[in-house]
Amino acid sequence: MWAGAVLYPPAGPVPAILCGQSNPKLFIYSINKRPLFRFGFHSPPKKLKVAANKQQLPELQTPRTESENTSLQEKGGAEIDLGWLPAFPHVFLASMSNFLFGYHIGVMNGPIISISQELGFGGNSFLEGLVVSIFIAGAFIGSISSGSVVDKLGCRRTLQVDTIPLILGAIISAQAHSLDEILWGRFLVGLGIGVNTVLVPIYISEVAPTKYRGSMGTLCQIGTCLGIIASLFLGIPSENDPHWWRIMLYVASVPGFILTLGLQFAVESPRWLCKVGRLNDAKDVIRNLWGPSEVDKAIVEFQSVIRNDRSDVESSWLELLAEPHSRVALIGGALFVLQQFAGINGVLYFSSLTFQDVGITSGALASLYIGLTNFAGALSALYLMDKQGRQRLLIGSYLGMAISMFLAVYAISFPVDEELSHVLSIMGTMLYIFTFAIGAGPVTGLIIPELSSSRTRGKIMGFSFSVHWVCNFLVGLFFLELVEKFGVGPVYASFGGVSLLAAAFAYYFIVETKGRSLEEIEMSLNPNSPGKEK
């Protein structure tokens, strides 16, 4: 998940950063052109065989596995794996929460000047920055409080309730006629976003089939990117209409209403259902999303973990101080510290100046280049996550980021030729963003719930993201000051050094989770688990 890749400096607004393409639509049709996929698809599609002469191929006499039953065979024998399809609508809907995250990140970047002038604090850079960054304060509180709520209500219901502050915050901000009103609106939005950023990775990790969990987890990052793009393009008229910002903020409430309605039809996490005693409901979800053959095995694993974790549903924050939860919480917090201090916010903020050096003076065009690069990285992660594994992607990502930073430092500090220096700076910036989007962004948000136990997953994620928001704020607060004092070269060199440290951390402390169920991972990490191999 691409978390925190936007800077909120207190000195004023930040150029919006694009990171994707907008409004993707997925249409899957059967041979007779009738829709094969629709929301609420309840069973894996059967294996379809198409011959070149349009005649039905003979059925195989050998028993078919579950993976065979969820694939589509085309001409020439090539198979399209569709085992992800039943879970996709539910995961896609949850990722809409990250679309809201991205939208609210970008919605203030363009019209903040018009807002400040209309509400009477124009020219005050501190107050302009406060309107933008109060979002982070709300997100911190939302993240730290989400763990207790999800234990009681489950992911689906908590996400549904969480749309209330998102909708109210957007409407209050849109109707604001004073500084206090827009600050309250932005705070409420941040509160809702803080909960969403914690719960969506948990929900996806618990609903997605094991084989596709990594790929589906990258939808968090893609949703955030698309939200930023939408807010940027919708903000174009604000350059000519000083009151357009109200329309933008009213529009921000629309996805919240869609999400509220859509989640009514989404499934609940089968793991949470089993934990609260709704065994039949859990079996139905597993049967519909993962296939009938997975029901018995999954239920046995769920119940084994629940017995080992104790019977009461809600966990305590004090449990994070005991093994193995303390180790996972420490890893989660450290991953976000390293991610943020590896400099993603600083590089994105300074990238507009880097592009200006080579003659690209349009901030929107520079953002487009950055966004396409990040989107390409996100698509690469979508393909590689379940093939190469989390640890390998994380190590490779941070090594690539370190090389990129050192390349930019060389171009800045030892310019042999001015034109060559500018080219190397652009290459370093683009390579940094691409390699971040492949691993450090999406893997960090995904691997923490994978390593966490079922009992403490919500609280560990809440703690980890609260660390993320604090680091996000600190980087935003001090980045420009450090650049003014030491220069871009030394600051970028420190980013490269932290990236190397992060790669070493991933090598020594991150275990591979690819292809393993959450219960298998939990039992392997818990020294008291009866299922752990001695």
Side-chain angles (χ1 to χ4, degrees):
M1 172 183 183
W2 185 35
V6 168
L7 177 67
Y8 296 96
V14 183
I17 302 299
L18 289 178
C19 44
Q21 297 177 359
S22 57
N23 299 327
K25 295 183 179 179
L26 176 64
F27 298 99
I28 301 177
Y29 293 94
S30 62
I31 301 168
N32 61 6
K33 301 300 182 182
R34 293 184 179 180
L36 177 65
F37 166 80
R38 58 186 176 86
F39 184 82
F41 194 13
H42 290 303
S43 61
K46 298 297 182 183
K47 185 177 183 181
L48 302 180
K49 301 183 178 181
V50 184
N53 60 2
K54 298 184 180 181
Q55 293 180 351
Q56 183 72 24
L57 291 175
E59 288 289 332
L60 295 174
Q61 299 302 315
T62 56
R64 291 181 293 181
T65 64
E66 189 64 34
S67 60
E68 286 177 322
N69 284 330
T70 56
S71 62
L72 181 67
Q73 188 167 9
E74 293 181 320
K75 177 182 177 180
E79 290 186 353
I80 300 177
D81 191 349
L82 295 178
W84 52 271
L85 192 54
F88 177 79
H90 308 278
V91 171
F92 178 79
L93 182 65
S95 69
M96 280 190 62
S97 297
N98 283 79
F99 177 88
L100 274 172
F101 175 35
Y103 188 92
H104 283 293
I105 283 175
V107 74
M108 284 291 174
N109 287 323
I112 184 62
I113 302 300
S114 299
I115 294 173
S116 63
Q117 291 175 350
E118 185 171 342
L119 300 185
F121 57 95
N124 189 323
S125 59
F126 174 79
L127 292 179
E128 290 176 357
L130 182 62
V131 169
V132 175
S133 59
I134 193 69
F135 177 93
I136 295 180
F140 172 83
I141 296 174
S143 294
I144 204 69
S145 62
S146 59
S148 299
V149 180
V150 72
D151 283 345
K152 297 178 180 178
L153 301 181
C155 282
R156 183 183 74 90
R157 189 64 67 191
T158 304
L159 284 171
Q160 200 169 28
V161 172
D162 187 55
T163 59
I164 296 175
L166 290 170
I167 294 171
L168 288 179
I171 294 175
I172 291 173
S173 300
Q175 294 180 338
H177 291 88
S178 68
L179 175 63
D180 290 342
E181 289 178 348
I182 198 163
L183 286 176
W184 272 112
R186 289 289 290 171
F187 178 82
L188 285 174
V189 166
L191 190 69
I193 292 300
V195 175
N196 278 351
T197 51
V198 170
L199 294 190
V200 174
I202 294 177
Y203 180 81
I204 292 177
S205 69
E206 294 193 351
V207 168
T210 298
K211 182 179 177 181
Y212 315 99
R213 193 174 61 233
S215 298
M216 288 188 167
T218 60
L219 291 177
C220 294
Q221 180 180 4
I222 293 174
T224 302
C225 295
L226 295 177
I228 294 176
I229 294 170
S231 66
L232 179 68
F233 279 103
L234 191 61
I236 293 176
S238 66
E239 298 178 1
N240 301 316
D241 185 352
H243 305 294
W244 183 255
W245 62 272
R246 296 188 183 275
I247 301 297
M248 295 177 65
L249 292 173
Y250 276 124
V251 169
S253 66
V254 175
F257 285 111
I258 296 174
L259 196 59
T260 303
L261 179 62
L263 284 169
Q264 194 64 33
F265 301 96
V267 299
E268 182 53 86
S269 161
R271 292 171 168 92
W272 182 83
L273 291 171
C274 193
K275 187 162 61 173
V276 298
R278 294 167 58 182
L279 193 60
N280 290 332
D281 291 338
K283 289 180 179 180
D284 288 340
V285 172
I286 296 168
R287 184 179 298 108
N288 293 333
L289 300 191
W290 304 353
S293 65
E294 296 292 327
V295 174
D296 293 337
K297 175 187 174 184
I299 292 298
V300 169
E301 288 185 345
F302 294 174
Q303 291 179 330
S304 176
V305 166
I306 291 170
R307 284 193 300 268
N308 190 59
D309 278 346
R310 298 195 302 269
S311 59
D312 51 323
V313 174
E314 187 173 0
S315 59
S316 166
W317 281 102
L318 293 176
E319 293 180 40
L320 268 60
L321 300 177
E323 286 288 350
H325 313 306
S326 60
R327 183 169 71 254
V328 178
L330 180 62
I331 290 174
L335 282 174
F336 274 122
V337 169
L338 292 168
Q339 183 203 63
Q340 291 301 298
F341 285 99
I344 181 62
N345 286 340
V347 173
L348 287 174
Y349 181 80
F350 209 75
S351 61
S352 59
L353 300 180
T354 304
F355 279 97
Q356 287 178 14
D357 290 338
V358 295
I360 302 175
T361 57
S362 171
L365 187 59
S367 295
L368 179 61
Y369 287 138
I370 293 168
L372 291 175
T373 302
N374 186 74
F375 189 70
L379 291 180
S380 300
L382 184 72
Y383 175 76
L384 294 172
M385 190 74 74
D386 287 315
K387 295 182 180 296
Q388 297 299 320
R390 286 47 150 174
Q391 186 189 42
R392 182 177 294 183
L393 279 185
L394 204 56
I395 294 172
S397 174
Y398 277 118
L399 289 177
M401 290 162 64
I403 293 171
S404 306
M405 284 293 90
F406 294 141
L407 179 64
V409 169
Y410 176 81
I412 294 169
S413 304
F414 308 100
V416 178
D417 177 82
E418 183 176 0
E419 183 176 351
L420 178 61
S421 175
H422 290 161
V423 171
L424 291 177
S425 296
I426 292 293
M427 287 178 57
T429 300
M430 301 295 276
L431 181 61
Y432 176 93
I433 294 169
F434 180 82
T435 52
F436 175 89
I438 284 182
V443 173
T444 303
L446 174 65
I447 201 167
I448 299 173
E450 288 185 327
L451 295 176
S452 305
S453 71
S454 177
R455 179 176 175 77
T456 59
R457 188 168 290 131
K459 287 185 169 61
I460 289 177
M461 282 292 286
F463 166 77
S464 301
F465 266 95
S466 65
V467 171
H468 158 263
W469 291 115
V470 170
C471 294
N472 187 310
F473 177 76
L474 291 176
V475 172
L477 185 63
F478 292 112
F479 172 73
L480 290 181
E481 185 177 342
L482 291 173
V483 168
E484 291 175 2
K485 185 174 183 179
F486 299 105
V488 177
V491 173
Y492 272 22
S494 68
F495 290 162
V498 173
S499 297
L500 288 178
L501 181 62
F505 181 88
Y507 179 80
Y508 287 107
F509 293 98
I510 299 300
V511 298
E512 186 52 66
T513 57
K514 179 190 71 170
R516 304 168 68 189
S517 72
L518 298 181
E519 288 67 36
E520 290 173 348
I521 299 168
E522 179 174 349
M523 288 186 287
S524 70
L525 295 177
N526 191 342
N528 300 318
S529 173
K532 183 176 180 179
E533 295 180 2
K534 302 296 182 184

